[in-house]
Amino acid sequence: MVKQFLMNLLLAFIWIALTGVLAYANFMFGFAIGFFLLWVMNLNESDRRYFTRVPKIISFFLYFLYEMIRANVQVAYDMITPRFFMQPGIVRYPMNARSDFEINLLSTVISLTPGTLILDVSEDRSVLYIHVMYLKDKDRFIQQIKEGFERRLLEIIR
Amino acid sequence: MTTILIGSLCTIGAIAILIAAIGILRMPDFYLRLSVTVKAATLGGGLLLLSAAFFFTGEVAVTTKALAIIFFLTLTAPVAAHLIGRAAYFIGTEQWKGTIRDDLAGKYDKETHELSSGNEENRKNQD
Amino acid sequence: MKSTILKTASIYLLPILLLFSIFILLRGHYFPGGGFVGGLIAAIAFVLHSFTHGTEATLKLLRIHPSALIPVGLALAAISMFAPMLNGQPVMTGLWFDQPVPVIGLIGSALFFDIGVYVVVIGVVLTILFTIAQYSG
Amino acid sequence: MELLLVILIGVLYATGIFMLLRRSMVKLLIGLILLGNGANLLIFLLGRITKGAPPVIDSAAKFFTDVYADPIPQALILTAIVISFGLQAFAIVLLKRVYVLINSDDLDDLNTPEEEDI
Amino acid sequence: MTDNTLILSVIIHLFTAIVLLALWRKTVAQRIISVVGSVVAMVIAIRLFTAVWDNGILTMQAAGWDAPFGITFVADVFSSTMVLLTSFSGIAVSIYSATGVARGRMLYGYFPILHLLLMGLNGAFLTGDIFNLYVWFEVIIIASFVLMTLGGRRAQIEGSVKYMAMNVLASTFFLTGIGILYGITGTLNMADLSLKIAALENRKLVDIVSIFFIVGFGIKSAVFPLYFWLPSSYHTPPSAVAAIFGGLLTKVGIYALFRVFTLIFIPDEFLRTLLVVLAIFTILTGSFGAVIKNNIRRVFSYLIVCHIGFMVGGLGMYSEIAITGALFYLIHDMMVKTNIFLIAGLIRKLRGTMNMDKLGGLYAEYPLLSLVVALVLFSLVGIPPLSGFWPKIYLFEAGFMDAQYPLLVAIIIGSFVTLYVIAKLWAKVFWKNQPTLPAEENYTDEFKPMSAFRKSLLVVPIVFLMAIALYIGLAAENVALVAKHIARDMKDMTPYIEAVLGTNVSP
Amino acid sequence: MTLSTYIDYVILPILAIALVLVFIRLIKGPNIVDRVIALDLLITIGVSVITVYSISTSESTFIDVAMILALIAFLGTIAFSFYLEKRGRK
Amino acid sequence: MLIAVLAGLFVSVLLIPLGRLFKGRLAVLISLLPTSLFAYFASFIPTIANGEAISFHYPWVPSLGVDFHFRLDGLSLLFSLLITGIGSLVFLYASSYLKGHRYLDRFYAYLSLFMASMLGLVLADNVLLLFIFWELTSISSFFLIGFNNEDANSRKSSLTALAVTGGGGFLLMAGLILMGHLSGTYAIQEMLNASSFLKAHPWYPAILALIFAGAFTKSAQFPFHFWLPGAMKAPTPISAYLHSATMVKAGVYLLARLYPILGGTEYWTYPLIVVGGITMFYGAFHSIFRTDLKSILAYSTISALGILVFLIGIGTEQALLAAAVFILVHALYKASLFLTTGVLDHETGTREITQLGGLRKVLLPLAIAGLLAALSSAGLPFTFGFIGKDQIYEATLHTEGIMPIVLTSLAVITNILLLYAGLLVGLKPFAGKLPERYQAVHLPHWLMWTPPLLLALMGIAFGAFPALIDASLLNPAATAMINETFDSPLKLWHGFNLVLLLSGITLALGALLYLMRKPSSKSMASIERFNYLAPQYIFGKLARAVRRFAARYTRTLHNGFLRVYLFRIIMFAVLLLGFRLFTGGPIQWIPAHLSPISVYEVAVLGILIAAIFLTVNTSSRLTAVVATSVIGYCICLLFVFYSAPDLAMTQFTIDTLTVVLFVLVLFRLPPFLNLANRRDRIRDWLLASSFGAIIALITIQAMNQPFDDAVSKFYGENAYVLAKGKNVVNVILVDFRGIDTMFEVVVLSIAAIGVVSLLKLKLKASEKE
Ligand code: NA
Ligand code: NA
């Protein structure tokens, strides 16, 4: 998988060298072409994780963006309207994520969406404590995160 | 065309930041302020940087830098928020009266500042 | 500080900041930056590391004590400052190689001077901060 | 704009001096920092300010073709900043020592009677 | 004509310091390197002085940029004399420190910082750029600041807080002055400034700027009412350090005052009067303090203040003869003040105290040494024909010429108090029998059990500086010629300006 | 209306208002942690201001400054947290 | 002649290493020094008597007009012979008197130095050279008086002597320099030409006042006389030397030497007559109340010095001749009496006049010496003293107006008292019955009794045959003072005239007084009751008052509070700057070229200023740190706005690091206390804000100046072309002004070392320095 990614990068750089245009758009274009070529070349290979993962990353990114904007708007509305309708609380969230990298990524993602904020990770790295702004139902919130961010994230990483 | 794109990105970004600013001023307790500001500001800053990335497309290095800054902001802001939030909890910063739940209560070891996961208690409860 | 998140983050941040500091150092002659700011950023990278991993761990990572960097950097800066004297030129006169090097541009005594400054600044900042940290801890 | 900066400089000097006259050593240090900032801004302002034209020559050009900010005050201030950082660092640690000695940062407590001379 | 040799006296100390830093915690090697470095520095300083004396002003345009674009270093007779004297003090202190300073301090950078301090002094004397002078001043401040705290005893800490606060304030004044100066002239080169300031029409502004320099340098040189840091701090550090401080630190302030107020600002009536009035109060303040203090170093500290007044007074009178006197005094003072603090340290080694009431019997126990000390002390007093006597002739003459009677009276009072205080010190410390002290204050003579070599490390520097002081006194003609030469230079800076700017400046 | 004037007269004033609002929080506190996050936010807005200013003046060099701010700003927050935690443990 | 002068100096220097050799028997050998010098100077007598003078010139410090410029004329010859002659006897005497003394070598070293200084003083033909030796006599006498340095009184006396003579010395120096400055030379012979110019100059009185101050202190004139009795703490040979022939005569010598230049005016005459007159009476009067032999001698010496000053004041030919004679007379009998006293002290262990008597039976040669000296001091016919007294009366009688009556009667009274004192010292111890306890007293080594005897005999010899010294010595001396030749041979017999009558009255009354009055400690106590009026007491009180004032002054100014010091420094700056700002021309309020104001700049500025006040007013340290960093960051924004990216970067990183530093250090510090009361705060605010306002105004003034951007332009044009860099700030930092950067880095390095040492170094208790 790493090999394929490096190969893809190499192809992108060769593309730049060939066209002689050192610009972002050109790099992206080269990368896409490389990706396509590699995808075609590796159709028969057994390890095709690289080619499923890239679209997943993109889709996760888009999901994250959507969540962020949605939540931001929600918070923004609350902020500029005179009355607060939030119900904050600190929630104990048992994770599936285990490695440091996974925990970090998960917490970053959770923190960056408005309304939620990681306060700490337990010493044994099994539990996240999350500050939540709009906590209607604790279990439903945990369910949301589990199904939303954590599942998608672990799919990409593992 | 690009100008309009840049202009609108800027506008959204600036508004996000303004909201963050209003948030930090209006929110009733520390945790809420923290929660609001970290992301709104990151979003706003990110958008403004993105518009810079578009504006300086002619200079690759500048675009790279703008993207790098976005990357850095998103990487560091949650970490900083987590740390200061945690510290605030230690020094007993009060929560808003409307707060409905605190799972952290009693989970910190007073001496070592170790945070328990609460699993032991759960197990005990199950037994 | 016992924070898994910070600990993990600092592992990524250390090389990024160091890389960035070298970048700032090398381009100083053409764009904002230079040895001084570069050195400060590098030092901050290590300081960050020490916040999470403890001073001892950072010292181990550095291998040599930062205070040893001070004479090294001073010597480097001083030599590139006084080297022109051997040519009979006044001190601080820029000596330049003819051929430019990619990214950095022309290489000359000014660059070595800047590198000397960079090293001294790292040594100084880390020496100060680590000494305080050890003293307080 | 210059007039506002002048006011700022005056405020920095005034408050710096005021802090210098306190008994607390922390305030003393802050006073020195304020004064340092005031002096830097004064140099900066007296080198005449220029907006949006840093003294960096365009990558395509060999020298400036347009107006540019005077680089000399900038270099001077840079040096001054660095020097005051060195002094501040040392002074802050000195503050620590003072605190260890007298268990307070009240400078009046630091005074030792002359009889204790060696 | 650009000449690299004049920066050698800076380089030698820098490289010595770097080597010393590399030899961190190796105290034996440090002692040797330090002495070697100081000796080389002295040789360089002597060569520089003779070169300047024989061939006139030397300049070096750093980085090869013509003045006023780069930083210029200038060695005229004034600066090369100061460098020479610094090298004498430096070598004496370096040797003395080998046994005079506790090993603990050497383990934590005593020697490298000592050399960096000497480097800073030389740099300050040689630079021809006003901002660069500021940088050198900062090197001096931070180095002296560290040397003062090195060891961390309570009195040291107290002294250095005060020292720090007032000296940083002085730097702020200096820096502010530089800022305004740049704002109105656009240059930092002192020779260039000289021309530009002279051509400036707004004299009021020039006067105002010069006040910043008066306050800044006035604090550094411990002029009334800006002197407070000196008696607050000079009695606290190890004597070797106090020697450098006493001999050189305030003098660099004096150097700067003379340099700036003869080259850049030519003082008008108001400033001259101001300087004279300050000088009078400085002398009296120093005198009063010296009279009542009982600790040798505190007495010496106030005497420094007192004698600073002599020099500032000389500048205030501003005639060639007055400046000659002040410069002669400066030369004498640098050598003698360094020495008396070394002597105070030696006394401490002998008796464990510097309190005059607790001292005594030194003449009976160490007669030869006492005679050496006596010579130094009488040089300080200016018992004719010893070194302190000659400059007073100039100052008196100048005082009469300029009708500065109050200043004359002050100088007489100052001289008289110095005489009285030193005689009292001699009677109490050397003549009087050692008083019996309470058991807990019993001292051990650290000097007696030392090997002859270690003893000589303490005594040789004192004798060396005494010999120089004797030379100043007995061969006063030579010193007078130097002082006169400098004073004449100051009265007409055209050669200096032409040497720096490389152009013909017709007045 | 050019981009530059738009930024100068619309975006930068908005950001300036944001700065002022955040600063009011910094003054009000009430806790030190409130001030610390206000400071952190000020810096983030500062990054934005610099970015926008560099667009307005077409001077890409300012982006470098913004980058440095973004890179090391959080060190201050970490230091304060470090301090508060240590003090809390006393 | 230089060698002659400096010989004593060489000997004293040689004695430092070789002193051990000369502690015992060999000590006598050192006397070769004065004796050979005496012979040397004696060889000049014929030449000088011929009216010639011998000059010697060797350059030393020509820049200052100070050269080794010596001149031997009548006056200096007389003094040289006294110095070396009496010196020889004192040297010999001391070798026995102080035999076996631990510090005999030191003693001779001081004495040789002193003799050399004295010789230099009288031979110098340059006022500054004279002054140099003058001060050397002060300092060497300091050592001589304090010779018994383990005795507190001895130390105190030497300090007093040095303080008085040294203080006078500085005034003298001022006077001499003023004189030299006006006449354009320091050479005495050349000054003679400027005499009339000097006397007409408005500064003439000032010159005289300063020179008199020197002379009076040195020659123990009232009210500066009090150091002299104290100086008796020195061993007797020293007293003999200092007070008969040398030290105290220096002032007299100076007056005599300067008489031809400055003398003869009213300003000269009246002060000298008044002071001399008071001194001669005061000293003589006091001497009769003392019971300690040396004390009596001390006060009679003061009186004699008064007489000399008095005579020089009168300034007529007779008076000056009388002075010359009396210098010699007094030297001979006073030295003799001192040395006699020394033997008495040495042999009996006391100098108390009330306890001594009848010693002629055991110390016959001494008794003769004492008697002869006493007779000489009494002015009995056929003694030299008789001639001296005659000359004095001649002098006083030949003044003008009512002066003869007043002055002569003063002289007569003084002489009566002096006669009494002389008899007390020279006769009383030897007359009457020998007390039991002194039966065992025996004659000391001959070196101790021959010198006084010899001196006394000379007094008789010169009295009987004045021709021996008249033309050869005394006339040339007087001539030198008058500066014109005159011929007035000394006569024993003037015929029956008023002078003789007065001499008779003096003798009769003096002898009567001696017979009637018995000295007792009671009389001493009676005069001590008036001590509070004595100059010594008043000076002491004054000195204590000065000390008290000094202590008060120093403690008030240097009171230990840093903030007070800072306040004063800033106050000083505010006053000076304010004064200069608001005088001499208008203040311009608006700079010429201003850039437009925009919202964001104002916002940043507003935040900045608010942050500054938050920093100042907060009671929490952490808030202060936060606010300080806001200040830093806002300045960083300003740097960006005004095109200084490098500055912004640096300011920002450094501010962040400073925060880290503060935070690391601030652990466990208690919150700020408001330690100042309202009044102090208001006062501080007033000062601080006036300083800020002044700075702001000055900045505006400076901004009105047109800016000269030549250097800046040069950098812009050449940064890339010549220095190969495009970031001009960086090019300045590493090239144009790279030296600054190099040493700013050194500053940082030192700070780091300082931090390490400050935190880690813990000195052991044994490590004191
Ligand atoms: Na969230
Ligand atoms: Na730079």
Side-chain angles (χ1 to χ4, degrees), chain E residues 10 21 24 62-63 65 69-71 73 100-105 108 113 116 119 129 131-132 135-136 139 142-143 146 149-151 153 162 165-166 169 173 180 182-186 188 196 200 202 204-205 207-208 211-212 219 224-228 231-232 239 268 270 274 278 285 288-289 291-292 302 348 354 363-364 367-368 378 383-385 389-390 392-394 396-397 400-401 405 415-416 419 423-424 426-427 431-433 446 474 476-477 481 484, chain G residues 16 60-64 66 102-103 106 110 128 131-132 135-136 139 142-143 146 149-150 155 158-159 162-163 166-167 170-171 173-174 177-178 181 186 203 210 546-547 549-551 553-555 557-558 560 562 565-566 568-570 572-573 576-577 579-581 583-587 691 695 698 701-702 705-708 710-712 714-715 722-723 735-737 739-740 742-744 746-747 750-751 753-754 756-758 760-761 763-765 767-769:
Chain E
V10 172
L21 278 180
W24 190 253
W65 303 108
F69 304 118
I71 290 176
F73 283 81
V101 167
R103 192 168 166 272
R105 297 189 211 263
Y108 284 92
I113 295 175
L116 292 174
M119 175 195 79
D129 185 283
F131 186 79
N132 194 237
V135 174
W136 291 115
V139 172
I142 185 92
V146 172
T149 54
L150 199 63
R153 298 229 154 89
K162 289 171 182 164
M166 286 182 255
L169 184 63
F173 274 101
I180 303 173
Y182 179 77
I184 59 180
T185 61
L188 297 163
K196 295 235 164 93
L200 215 63
N202 192 342
K204 181 176 157 181
L205 199 52
D207 265 6
I208 288 171
I211 288 171
F212 282 95
I219 294 176
F224 178 93
L226 316 166
Y227 68 98
F228 301 102
S232 306
S239 293
D268 59 2
F270 170 73
L274 176 71
L278 292 185
T285 306
F288 289 146
V291 165
I292 61 155
Y302 273 107
R348 167 125 203 247
M354 293 193 242
Y363 191 35
L368 265 183
F378 291 142
I383 298 293
F389 165 66
W390 303 103
K392 283 179 202 153
I393 300 179
Y394 286 114
F396 278 46
E397 275 189 27
F400 285 122
M401 245 168 68
Y405 305 117
S415 307
F416 175 71
L419 170 73
K424 191 177 79 177
W426 173 264
W431 270 356
K432 184 181 70 187
N433 275 330
E446 290 177 50
L474 299 180
E477 176 65 13
L481 286 179
K484 218 177 223 170
Chain G
I16 294 170
W60 184 18
V61 190
S63 298
L64 279 159
V66 183
R102 258 171 82 203
Y103 297 131
R106 276 182 207 175
Y110 301 152
L128 284 182
F131 177 74
I132 289 173
E135 288 291 272
L136 283 176
I139 207 75
F142 172 68
F143 280 93
N149 58 47
E150 274 137 27
R155 292 197 301 268
S158 61
L159 258 178
L162 183 67
F170 287 117
L171 296 174
M173 180 178 167
I177 289 173
L178 179 53
H181 172 66
Y186 290 118
W203 282 350
L210 291 167
V546 168
R547 268 186 69 90
F549 171 76
Y553 177 87
T554 306
R555 287 206 186 99
L557 270 187
H558 198 254
L562 175 60
Y565 304 158
L566 292 168
R568 294 194 193 125
I569 291 175
I570 293 154
F572 175 74
L576 269 187
L577 289 170
F579 173 75
R580 215 63 191 126
L581 190 61
T583 56
I587 297 178
F691 188 75
I695 291 279
I698 292 172
Q701 305 308 298
Q705 288 293 314
F707 186 67
D708 182 341
V711 179
S712 156
F714 176 86
Y715 289 168
L722 295 178
D735 197 331
F736 289 115
R737 301 187 62 87
I739 303 272
D740 283 348
M742 177 73 229
F743 294 102
E744 108 198 5
V746 170
V747 170
I750 300 173
I753 301 168
V756 172
S757 72
L758 199 52
K760 285 194 173 166
L761 171 55
L763 287 179
K764 294 175 211 141
E767 294 181 311
K768 285 186 182 127
E769 283 242 330

Side-chain angles (χ1 to χ4, degrees), chain C residues 75 78 82 85 89-93, chain E residues 4 11 14-15 60-64:
Chain C
F82 298 122
M85 282 180 67
Q89 289 165 299
V91 293
M92 210 77 228
T93 307
Chain E
N4 269 322
I11 298 178
L14 177 61
F15 277 100
M60 188 208 67
Q61 314 287 2

Side-chain angles (χ1 to χ4, degrees), chain A residues 71 109-118 130-131 133 149, chain B residues 35 39:
Chain A
V109 166
I110 293 174
S111 280
L112 276 179
T113 36
T116 53
L117 176 77
I118 302 291
I130 307 177
H131 181 267
M133 271 176 88
F149 285 129
Chain B
S35 191
K39 24 247 128 165

Side-chain angles (χ1 to χ4, degrees), chain G residues 515-536:
Chain G
L515 293 174
M516 305 281 290
R517 193 172 179 282
K518 289 276 161 278
S520 74
S521 44
K522 228 195 255 163
S523 64
M524 173 109 172
S526 68
I527 191 122
E528 272 173 0
R529 275 188 295 150
F530 296 99
N531 263 358
Y532 68 93
L533 289 173
Q536 176 168 24

Side-chain angles (χ1 to χ4, degrees), chain C residues 33-34, chain G residues 646 727 730:
Chain G
D646 281 282
N727 177 4
N730 201 65

Side-chain angles (χ1 to χ4, degrees), chain A residues 140-156:
Chain A
R140 222 188 109 214
F141 169 76
I142 294 177
Q143 193 62 26
Q144 262 179 359
I145 299 281
K146 275 251 175 316
E147 291 304 308
F149 285 129
E150 191 169 18
R151 187 181 54 76
R152 286 165 195 260
L153 200 67
L154 291 181
E155 265 178 18
I156 299 172

Side-chain angles (χ1 to χ4, degrees), chain G residues 65 86 109 123 156 269 273 280 323 374 384 634 746 764:
Chain G
I86 294 182
L123 289 170
K156 196 165 168 243
T269 303
I273 289 181
M280 71 191 204
F384 196 31
C634 286
V746 170
K764 294 175 211 141

